[in-house]
Amino acid sequence: MYLKNITLRGFKSFANKSSLDFEHGISVIVGPNGSGKSNVADAISWVLGEQSPKSLRGSSMGDVIFRSKDQEMGIAEVSLLFDNRDRIFDVDFRDVKITRHVFSRGGSDYFINSSPCRLMDIQEMTGDSGIGKGLHIIINQGQVNEIAILKPAERKLVIDEMIGLSKHKNRRKKSIDKIDKVKSDIGRLDDLMIEIKRTMDPLEIESKRAREYADMANELKKEEISLFLSDLKRYNILWDEIEGRSKKLRESIRGTDNRILKIEKEKNDLFSNIGSEQAEYENLRARIESFDSSLGILSNSIALVKSKKNVFSTLYSMFEMELENGVLPHKTVKKIVPGKQDGAYVDLSFLEKVKKRLEKLENRMRDFLESIRVQLKVEHDAETVIGEGNRIIEGLGSIIEDIKAAGSFPKSKKSERSPDREKKVQDMSIDKKIRKIQDIKEVCRVNLERADRMLAVLESFGTSSEIIKERLYPEFERHKELISNDRDKINGYDRKISDLKLDVNRFENEIYKIDLRKEQVKEKVKSITSAMVDDYNVSIEYASKNFKPSGNTQESEARVKRLKSRMKNFGNVNPNAAIEFSKIKKRYDFLDEQRKDLVEAGNQLKELIKEINEKISSIFLEKFEKINESFQKYFKILFPHGEGEMILESYENGGSEDEDMGVDLKVDIGNNKLVSLSLLSGGEKSLVSLAFQFSVFSINTAPFYVFDEVDAALDDANIARFLSLVKKFSEKQQIIIITHQKKTMEIADKIYGVTMQSDGISKVVSEKIDKKDAAGIMDK
């Protein structure tokens, strides 16, 4: 691998895009002082990751951007193109271009083959190739002089960097930093765990009590749910029993109702069969009752007729007796009227009473005939009775009219008679009055005969009625007996129906009691279910799947009682103690695990550091012997009469083994005495430093090396010795030398010229110039 090309734009004095193509061998860049040729070396260092502005001869990274009085660039860009055919860079590219940008506003961009990347990616790619940062492939005049006057420990650090131990030291430093961080983290964890433990220990005690309480609560839950399930099982069995009993009773009710319907049908059928018998019986009963009523009326009528007959007989006898005795004034009533003469007259005052009695008799006869008409209107003999009765009534009316026509009747008080009335009575013809009485008497006799005939008719009607009644009564009794038998059957049906209805009522009462019992069971089951949900948030389904009914309810109840008593006497319990303790214990355990991990990580880091130290020591000691041998050889070339040697020194600085060592240079430049490096001249120091560097280069080679005016302090003889080493190294490595020494130009395979224009811009004026033209460029 070698550096094929470097392209600069806006970097330091290279304002315009400038490019230099390199090949194998020795390439020399020449130019007058201030032309900007050393900026090429700075550009290579900058692209490879140099972050120190001081190393780039500036005060800030912005100083690498071109800036003049008339012009200022906003960006600096440098690209290095490497030939990677031998795959020193572990990438699948034949050519690898590394580019870096920096902006005036700040910030840098890195690219590998035009793809953005990180500085770390570039350092990882170049780290094992020998051209990485800190490997001292670019040596300038100041570095050459510094190496000679370094302290042994500082010189050893340079060797470490040049032989590639920096990456191991970086790993070790990172590991040490990690150990320090681990120790710091462990310290913080210890402090935190102490604080947590102060809270955790009391919580652990409370948690144990809470767990014990929770265990009792769980046991109580198990026992109570088992009892609940046992009660549910018992109530389920009871429910099945009463439900079965209810079902049987309902079936009995249905059967009884069917029996009642059957009996009622038989009863109705019996009613249908006895309907005609009942109708005939009712007809006969009505007729017999009618005869009984008629006979009663007849009896009353006969009595009435006899009474009326007696009335007519009495009237007749009375009139007869009046006529036999004669009607004489002195035998009748004597009336003395003041102012009148005495005289005889017929006293008819009794006719007033007879008239009133006859009027009452007429009314009663009318009522009697009406009754006869209603009661006996269907009988043949009734017409005779009614006809006779009507004639009696007519006779009574005639008698009453005759009595009214007989004349004036005396008043109850004789003193109140008027004179006119008295005169009329006196003038009446006695004979005429007697004849009228006789007519009335005759009417009474006729009516008496009529009453006899009516009485005979009524008595004959009564006799006929008794005969008819006696004929109807046997048939009536027969129908009555038939109906009585049927009614007995109906009464039997009624009794059966009543008994069955009593059974239905009894069944319904039992069902009502069963329904009440079922409601009680429902309430009990609901209470148990609510208790399980309220107390333990457990459903029936979950309890049935995860718990078993109590095998011995008495023992379970006793345990429940004991557990409740213990829990009551347990005292205050922090129900969240277990959760809080679990959380804090989990955190404590987590921190403890973290601490163990940190301790383990610390131990692993210590082992890693130990391995790194051993590896660093092994690599250093192995290469130091070879470097020392090369130093002695190259020192002899640069100082033919002298001798040089590297001495390894040890210190007690409390660091690692390699850090407690240093490398001192013991040199004899040819005067047979060891002298201090500080006493050497500038050229001698440069040669000693070059011998030191070339001895390291010989052990840890890089693809190319850049020497920036390292020959400035050398005379021609020393330049020749220096160039002899360069030629030797150029056989295997690419050498780029920035110089203005003519002897150095003579060994160049290729020479590149750089000049400074009047506007302060560096320019590559020529490439691959002849050696004879190099001196001309130096003069420009």
Side-chain angles (χ1 to χ4, degrees), residues 308-322:
K308 304 313 175 206
K309 178 183 176 182
N310 293 330
V311 171
F312 284 120
S313 179
T314 302
L315 287 174
Y316 182 81
S317 297
M318 183 182 66
F319 285 120
E320 180 71 23
M321 200 169 64
E322 288 291 335

Side-chain angles (χ1 to χ4, degrees), residues 244-408:
R245 176 60 180 162
S246 176
K247 185 177 181 181
K248 290 181 179 179
L249 288 172
R250 294 182 190 279
E251 291 176 354
S252 298
I253 289 174
R254 285 194 293 271
T256 304
D257 287 338
N258 291 333
R259 290 179 62 191
I260 291 173
L261 291 175
K262 183 179 180 181
I263 292 172
E264 286 181 345
K265 184 176 181 304
E266 293 176 358
K267 176 183 173 182
N268 291 332
D269 292 341
L270 183 60
F271 269 126
S272 298
N273 293 332
I274 69 173
S276 58
E277 295 289 341
Q278 180 70 27
E280 185 65 24
Y281 167 77
E282 293 295 335
N283 181 37
L284 291 173
R285 187 181 68 174
R287 291 179 66 185
I288 290 172
E289 288 178 353
S290 176
F291 278 121
D292 289 340
S293 176
S294 297
L295 289 174
I297 293 172
L298 286 173
S299 177
N300 293 331
S301 298
I302 289 171
L304 178 63
V305 170
K306 287 181 179 181
S307 173
K308 304 313 175 206
K309 178 183 176 182
N310 293 330
V311 171
F312 284 120
S313 179
T314 302
L315 287 174
Y316 182 81
S317 297
M318 183 182 66
F319 285 120
E320 180 71 23
M321 200 169 64
E322 288 291 335
L323 290 174
E324 288 178 357
N325 292 330
V327 182
L328 298 176
H330 64 278
K331 290 183 179 180
T332 55
V333 178
K334 292 182 179 180
K335 293 186 179 180
I336 302 174
V337 180
K340 299 290 181 178
Q341 62 179 3
D342 293 335
Y345 68 94
V346 179
D347 188 2
L348 299 179
S349 61
F350 72 95
L351 291 178
E352 180 68 22
K353 297 179 180 180
V354 171
K355 172 178 168 290
K356 291 182 179 180
R357 292 184 65 183
L358 289 175
E359 287 176 348
K360 290 181 180 180
L361 179 61
E362 181 184 21
N363 291 332
R364 292 185 64 184
M365 283 298 295
R366 291 182 186 280
D367 293 337
F368 168 70
L369 291 177
E370 182 63 25
S371 176
I372 290 297
R373 184 179 291 108
V374 173
Q375 297 296 327
L376 302 179
K377 62 183 178 180
V378 297
E379 299 295 335
H380 176 74
D381 295 334
E383 296 297 328
T384 302
V385 174
I386 292 171
E388 294 295 332
N390 287 330
R391 284 191 286 274
I392 291 173
I393 292 173
E394 290 176 358
L396 290 173
S398 178
I399 295 171
I400 293 170
E401 290 297 325
D402 290 340
I403 292 174
K404 288 182 179 179
S408 175

Side-chain angles (χ1 to χ4, degrees), residues 757-769:
Q757 297 178 350
S758 60
D759 55 1
I761 297 176
S762 297
K763 180 181 180 182
V764 178
V765 295
S766 61
E767 297 182 3
K768 299 181 181 180
I769 62 175

Side-chain angles (χ1 to χ4, degrees), residues 476-525:
F476 170 75
E477 288 295 326
R478 187 178 69 82
H479 284 289
K480 181 178 180 182
E481 183 177 0
L482 290 175
I483 291 173
S484 177
N485 292 335
D486 290 339
R487 287 198 176 276
D488 289 341
K489 289 182 180 180
I490 291 172
N491 291 334
Y493 287 144
D494 289 338
R495 286 192 298 272
K496 288 182 180 180
I497 291 172
S498 178
D499 293 339
L500 291 174
K501 287 185 176 179
L502 288 175
D503 291 339
V504 170
N505 289 334
R506 180 168 55 82
F507 294 153
E508 289 178 346
N509 288 334
E510 289 189 37
I511 290 175
Y512 176 74
K513 293 178 181 178
I514 287 173
D515 289 340
L516 289 178
R517 183 61 174 155
K518 286 169 69 175
E519 290 298 323
Q520 292 174 351
V521 171
K522 284 183 181 179
E523 287 299 321
K524 290 289 185 180
V525 172

